[in-house]
Amino acid sequence: MSHPKDKHYWTQLRAALTGGQWEVNFPARAPNAIPLSWSELLRKFNKHCSGFPDVAELASQTQALAILLSSNTKTTSLDVDGNHFDESDPLALGQECILLEERIVEGTQGYSILHSLTGSNTESIKLAVAYYAYALGQPSECLSYLSQVKDLLDIESHIPTPSTRSHLSALQVPHAGADSSASSWTGSFTTAPPGSAPDIENGKSWAMTESMRSVCLQGMSHERISPDDPQTALKTYLTASPLLKTINDEIPCSLPSQAGGAAGDPGSFARYRELWRWTERLLRRAIILASKLHDLGQSPAEGDSVWILFGYYRACSAHWPPTFRPNHRSTVLVIHLRALVLRARALSPADVKIRAPKWVSTARSAIQEYRTLLNTSTTFPRAGERNVKVEDLVDLCVAVWEADGAVGEYAGWVIDALWWATRLTFNSFRVFRHMTRLLYVSGDSELAKRTLRLYVQIVSKACEATLAEGDGAHVSEEADTDHHWVDTLVFGARMLCRLALQEVNYTTALDLAKEAGVMIEKAKTRLPLEDLKLVTSVQLAEGIWSSVMAYTEQEPLTRSARLAESLNLLTSAVEAYPTPSGHHHLALTLSRPGPSQNLQLAIEHARESVEGNPAEVRHWHLLGLLLAMTGDWAAARSVLDFGIEAGEADLGDEEGVRTSANQSAINIRDFAASSDQLPSAANGHPNGEAPSSQSSESLGTILEPAHTTIPSSDTLLQPMGDRPNPSRHERFEYSLQVRMTQLALTEFVAGPEGVSEKWLEVFQWFREKRGVNVDDRRMSIDSRRVSTETRPLSEIMSVQEPPPSVVEPVGTGEAFSAAEGSQLEDLPTPIPITITPASPGVVPPHSNGDMLGDGQFTNPTPLERRSNSLDEKAGDISRGQKVKQVLKTRVHKGQATFSTISKKIGHGVGRRSSLNIKRTASTPDFHSVLGQPPSQASSIHLRQYQSIHASQQDLRLLEVPPPPSPSPTPPATNEQNSRSAKDRRLLSDLWLMSAAIFRRLGKIEQARGAIQEAEVRDEDNPAVWVQLGLYYSALNDHRRAIETFQKALFLAPNDVSATVHLCRLYLSPPSDTSQPINAQPDRDNIDLAVGLLSDLTKGAGWDVAEAWYFLAKGYKLQGRRDRERECLSYALTLSESRGVRDVTASVGWCL
């Protein structure tokens, strides 16, 4: 090879063959860069590379056969779908690589020409003849010629040495040295300079292509000859594993713009196009057969596992653009995703909760690739058509999410796929059905409601149109199946019920509850009566809806009927098909006050729910509350302990919180990825690891042997269930509620003094689990210290009385106002919280000139930051009078009834039992407390300042240090902001509970400090004003107490606790010492209180004993003795069956 042109045309011919540029008009270039056609390339090759006529003929016939086969495809490119793709039978071999009838004559001519060359006894000619034989429909002849080759995988053995120059047919350039052919395949890749591609120059890449083609043809021939023995064909395909491993390890992945930086470099796909064609075909056929023959439980270590094939296919597909055989690749991706889902279902619950399961990363990467392929191969459907592949991918995404635990926190990537699907589908009921569920569990209830309504509208219209055309047999295809329709509407009805209970606005809540009833009625229209489970799910949903309507519409005339209907429906559902959820809701119904209350039967059903699902914290919580209502304190304490353990086990699995699914934490491989980004082991799983379960466990095959099509991915979906799985944030809240009930029970039995240590544990547990910084101090409070000396917490605590840290039980304290009943949404991963400077404490009476003689405070100096709570200007009496006037306008004159202005009391607002009719012995005597001087130093947990009452200095003369600069925080999403607000509200409520305990212990200053801490955490919490009003009541400052309760009602007009406490003060004698001892309350106040309480007991406060008690007191002051006795009787009935906490606040009425 002494002439440069000799080497040039060898290289050009090999590059054209390896690149598979059969249909390209100019596959090569002359040394002067002039384009050359196939015929001109072969002519110049024969001219400049004399002595190799077989090589040119072999190349010519190979190109001719490829052109003939390309006529089988819908396009002229072999890269689209190979030779044949049947949409109705994607798993079958079909007519792939078989010539059409009209092309047989031309193929026979080429076969004869090559057959005449076999006398040269070269293996490349035999491989080409076998290729022709298979294309002509002669698989036996193909196997015969392939059997004449000693080793199809031994590339070196069928590349002759330069001594056989006259008969060289392996397309190898004869080098001067005899050992030139000894370089390995691997070395050909690693030693080549960028862009030169020596593996193509020395012929090894084409030899690899021939070997891959031959093994593939051998397996396909076995499939045709012995269709009943697919195992033989699969074993043949698996013999190519060494070649596949070499390809995976040695061919660098690059696109044309990234191919080593060489100008004009076509990239790894274009350079080895023919090799990729046969590699894809071999792996696809092997995967299809293995999915029917191999058990999913096989380990990749066994060598012939289907996971090995998936890994090879995924690694090779890194080189392929999305236009390369998208339909065939889609088939393999669907099988792969189906295998991952089926395999994941066999994982133990502990394995499912492992941080960032690797199989999920693999599945998401495959889904991302599938989306790219569908963007290329599908378009927006025409009228009357559906994009079935996109809808099937949607089902696959949801199936992967369900197999991963169906947690709303990790639904972000699925929702993204659903939004993408809306661009390639038109009003797909599948997309909207899934969006309704996923948007709700991820926290976007508004969008969930909209998609639910859209789903109902689309399916209803489609059903009407199909029935109008008389095609009732295809209703399920055009209007979803009956099962999905009922399942989705039941889910939607219960979703709307939960939202109605959480809604504060009366009109909105009632509309949501009514809409839930409409959903249930629509579900009944297509309810298959033979499906017992589905029928009972509708009964259960309707029973819950009746209960929600009783609370939402707040109509005393229909409440009893609603509750009775709820009891009947829930009883029927539990008797027909008992479920833990059914037992739970039936126990709730039986625990409600009224004629149907049966606590013993409620306890039995609560026990059934615990036994059916011991991992559900709320089941344990309800059982503990019911046992406490019957006075079985020991059993209640034991059950609550079990509930705490269940919650800890659930939260313990999430200690290592995996990366949010809304962030792209995995490496979603695009088609330009480098080989370094691919799995290090070709088994379909990152880092070479298969799903972590028992590898020897038999899980069955991916597909049935008789399957000719892949089953719809809809078959992989799990039933929606009667409620969504709780998120990690919700599980935290449920566990916190159990702890709060445990502390309430302890205080109820042992008094406030018995829970001081446990309250500290609650704060510590909160901080450990949520990571919220409870040590962030209000700068306006800390800046008003008398001295600028900063002392450590340990020193302050050593000179002050250690604060007892306890929680307020509902049944024994004055305040039931911490808004426990609000259903908290998902709590976010904590983010740094910037605390704005809050208000200082009450200005002491000895301040110089700060208070006027009539009790009004002067305006503060600019250095003083006044509070919205404790520093409210006492002199602004007009505001209190205005509030009172507004409240008066809500009562009809001459009657004790409430006007229509904000008539209905809100829903989902937490209630706490307040001033008990029956007080415990542990309740402190506030009169003795008030006799002490208010100079006790505040020792609130984690506060490093002393009470301002310890100093008589003029606080205006103190220099206020500037607040520290807040640390920069990353921008938070709306969801994070919402969850952060819920976190702060929950922590604020905890401080308010501690304030109530401090007050009952007689530690008024600690109570005040805790209220200030609560305001720091959530300044919009109306419960802060309720607790502040109770604080002023303890100080016998009724005027300020009334103003703060009125402020709470302005923030939350439906707050039950604020209404009850405000009316209590209205019904109390004036605290002014100038009034006679037996002075009666103001007549207007009595009428106002009776009006407020009358409406309250008809609505949200119908089961609050305190509301009835003070209403009776109001009737007494009005002289209405008969109504007084009725109210007292009902209040006594409610108080006798009341537990340590309100069920609504702690558990809720709807799971």
PDB file of all heavy atoms in Angstrom, residues 557-569:
ATOM      1  N   LEU A 557     -82.099  22.011  61.945  1.00  0.00           N
ATOM      2  CA  LEU A 557     -83.289  21.251  61.567  1.00  0.00           C
ATOM      3  C   LEU A 557     -82.940  19.970  60.802  1.00  0.00           C
ATOM      4  O   LEU A 557     -83.709  19.014  60.816  1.00  0.00           O
ATOM      5  CB  LEU A 557     -84.215  22.130  60.717  1.00  0.00           C
ATOM      6  CG  LEU A 557     -84.754  23.393  61.403  1.00  0.00           C
ATOM      7  CD1 LEU A 557     -85.620  24.186  60.440  1.00  0.00           C
ATOM      8  CD2 LEU A 557     -85.540  23.029  62.663  1.00  0.00           C
ATOM      9  N   THR A 558     -81.801  19.950  60.129  1.00  0.00           N
ATOM     10  CA  THR A 558     -81.419  18.767  59.338  1.00  0.00           C
ATOM     11  C   THR A 558     -80.232  18.025  59.912  1.00  0.00           C
ATOM     12  O   THR A 558     -79.881  16.956  59.404  1.00  0.00           O
ATOM     13  CB  THR A 558     -81.081  19.205  57.905  1.00  0.00           C
ATOM     14  OG1 THR A 558     -79.976  20.131  57.934  1.00  0.00           O
ATOM     15  CG2 THR A 558     -82.271  19.876  57.244  1.00  0.00           C
ATOM     16  N   ARG A 559     -79.614  18.567  60.965  1.00  0.00           N
ATOM     17  CA  ARG A 559     -78.395  17.950  61.478  1.00  0.00           C
ATOM     18  C   ARG A 559     -78.645  16.525  61.958  1.00  0.00           C
ATOM     19  O   ARG A 559     -77.889  15.598  61.637  1.00  0.00           O
ATOM     20  CB  ARG A 559     -77.812  18.799  62.594  1.00  0.00           C
ATOM     21  CG  ARG A 559     -76.492  18.230  63.142  1.00  0.00           C
ATOM     22  CD  ARG A 559     -75.949  19.057  64.280  1.00  0.00           C
ATOM     23  NE  ARG A 559     -75.592  20.393  63.820  1.00  0.00           N
ATOM     24  CZ  ARG A 559     -76.132  21.501  64.281  1.00  0.00           C
ATOM     25  NH1 ARG A 559     -77.088  21.445  65.209  1.00  0.00           N
ATOM     26  NH2 ARG A 559     -75.765  22.682  63.815  1.00  0.00           N
ATOM     27  N   SER A 560     -79.677  16.317  62.716  1.00  0.00           N
ATOM     28  CA  SER A 560     -79.955  14.985  63.261  1.00  0.00           C
ATOM     29  C   SER A 560     -80.195  13.975  62.144  1.00  0.00           C
ATOM     30  O   SER A 560     -79.704  12.839  62.195  1.00  0.00           O
ATOM     31  CB  SER A 560     -81.162  15.040  64.199  1.00  0.00           C
ATOM     32  OG  SER A 560     -80.913  15.905  65.289  1.00  0.00           O
ATOM     33  N   ALA A 561     -80.961  14.376  61.127  1.00  0.00           N
ATOM     34  CA  ALA A 561     -81.227  13.464  60.013  1.00  0.00           C
ATOM     35  C   ALA A 561     -79.948  13.136  59.258  1.00  0.00           C
ATOM     36  O   ALA A 561     -79.740  11.983  58.846  1.00  0.00           O
ATOM     37  CB  ALA A 561     -82.253  14.080  59.077  1.00  0.00           C
ATOM     38  N   ARG A 562     -79.099  14.131  59.067  1.00  0.00           N
ATOM     39  CA  ARG A 562     -77.831  13.900  58.378  1.00  0.00           C
ATOM     40  C   ARG A 562     -76.962  12.914  59.154  1.00  0.00           C
ATOM     41  O   ARG A 562     -76.386  11.979  58.583  1.00  0.00           O
ATOM     42  CB  ARG A 562     -77.081  15.221  58.231  1.00  0.00           C
ATOM     43  CG  ARG A 562     -77.739  16.252  57.335  1.00  0.00           C
ATOM     44  CD  ARG A 562     -77.512  15.960  55.873  1.00  0.00           C
ATOM     45  NE  ARG A 562     -77.923  17.079  55.044  1.00  0.00           N
ATOM     46  CZ  ARG A 562     -78.022  17.023  53.723  1.00  0.00           C
ATOM     47  NH1 ARG A 562     -77.750  15.903  53.088  1.00  0.00           N
ATOM     48  NH2 ARG A 562     -78.412  18.081  53.030  1.00  0.00           N
ATOM     49  N   LEU A 563     -76.841  13.113  60.442  1.00  0.00           N
ATOM     50  CA  LEU A 563     -76.006  12.234  61.253  1.00  0.00           C
ATOM     51  C   LEU A 563     -76.573  10.819  61.317  1.00  0.00           C
ATOM     52  O   LEU A 563     -75.826   9.834  61.297  1.00  0.00           O
ATOM     53  CB  LEU A 563     -75.854  12.818  62.659  1.00  0.00           C
ATOM     54  CG  LEU A 563     -75.089  14.149  62.749  1.00  0.00           C
ATOM     55  CD1 LEU A 563     -75.056  14.649  64.184  1.00  0.00           C
ATOM     56  CD2 LEU A 563     -73.675  14.002  62.210  1.00  0.00           C
ATOM     57  N   ALA A 564     -77.906  10.702  61.383  1.00  0.00           N
ATOM     58  CA  ALA A 564     -78.513   9.377  61.392  1.00  0.00           C
ATOM     59  C   ALA A 564     -78.285   8.660  60.064  1.00  0.00           C
ATOM     60  O   ALA A 564     -77.992   7.454  60.026  1.00  0.00           O
ATOM     61  CB  ALA A 564     -80.011   9.500  61.674  1.00  0.00           C
ATOM     62  N   GLU A 565     -78.402   9.402  58.961  1.00  0.00           N
ATOM     63  CA  GLU A 565     -78.139   8.812  57.646  1.00  0.00           C
ATOM     64  C   GLU A 565     -76.685   8.376  57.521  1.00  0.00           C
ATOM     65  O   GLU A 565     -76.374   7.318  56.964  1.00  0.00           O
ATOM     66  CB  GLU A 565     -78.478   9.826  56.561  1.00  0.00           C
ATOM     67  CG  GLU A 565     -78.277   9.299  55.144  1.00  0.00           C
ATOM     68  CD  GLU A 565     -78.529  10.368  54.099  1.00  0.00           C
ATOM     69  OE1 GLU A 565     -78.692  11.543  54.484  1.00  0.00           O
ATOM     70  OE2 GLU A 565     -78.557  10.019  52.906  1.00  0.00           O
ATOM     71  N   SER A 566     -75.775   9.193  58.054  1.00  0.00           N
ATOM     72  CA  SER A 566     -74.358   8.838  58.030  1.00  0.00           C
ATOM     73  C   SER A 566     -74.110   7.548  58.792  1.00  0.00           C
ATOM     74  O   SER A 566     -73.377   6.669  58.326  1.00  0.00           O
ATOM     75  CB  SER A 566     -73.533   9.980  58.623  1.00  0.00           C
ATOM     76  OG  SER A 566     -72.184   9.616  58.754  1.00  0.00           O
ATOM     77  N   LEU A 567     -74.726   7.422  59.960  1.00  0.00           N
ATOM     78  CA  LEU A 567     -74.546   6.214  60.755  1.00  0.00           C
ATOM     79  C   LEU A 567     -75.055   4.980  60.012  1.00  0.00           C
ATOM     80  O   LEU A 567     -74.393   3.930  59.997  1.00  0.00           O
ATOM     81  CB  LEU A 567     -75.261   6.378  62.092  1.00  0.00           C
ATOM     82  CG  LEU A 567     -75.220   5.169  63.039  1.00  0.00           C
ATOM     83  CD1 LEU A 567     -73.776   4.828  63.401  1.00  0.00           C
ATOM     84  CD2 LEU A 567     -76.039   5.449  64.291  1.00  0.00           C
ATOM     85  N   ASN A 568     -76.205   5.075  59.375  1.00  0.00           N
ATOM     86  CA  ASN A 568     -76.768   3.935  58.646  1.00  0.00           C
ATOM     87  C   ASN A 568     -75.884   3.528  57.467  1.00  0.00           C
ATOM     88  O   ASN A 568     -75.638   2.333  57.242  1.00  0.00           O
ATOM     89  CB  ASN A 568     -78.179   4.269  58.159  1.00  0.00           C
ATOM     90  CG  ASN A 568     -79.155   4.447  59.298  1.00  0.00           C
ATOM     91  OD1 ASN A 568     -78.981   3.874  60.387  1.00  0.00           O
ATOM     92  ND2 ASN A 568     -80.197   5.245  59.088  1.00  0.00           N
ATOM     93  N   LEU A 569     -75.411   4.497  56.715  1.00  0.00           N
ATOM     94  CA  LEU A 569     -74.582   4.191  55.550  1.00  0.00           C
ATOM     95  C   LEU A 569     -73.245   3.584  55.959  1.00  0.00           C
ATOM     96  O   LEU A 569     -72.783   2.608  55.351  1.00  0.00           O
ATOM     97  CB  LEU A 569     -74.347   5.469  54.735  1.00  0.00           C
ATOM     98  CG  LEU A 569     -75.552   6.005  53.965  1.00  0.00           C
ATOM     99  CD1 LEU A 569     -75.269   7.408  53.436  1.00  0.00           C
ATOM    100  CD2 LEU A 569     -75.906   5.063  52.810  1.00  0.00           C
TER     101      LEU A 569
END
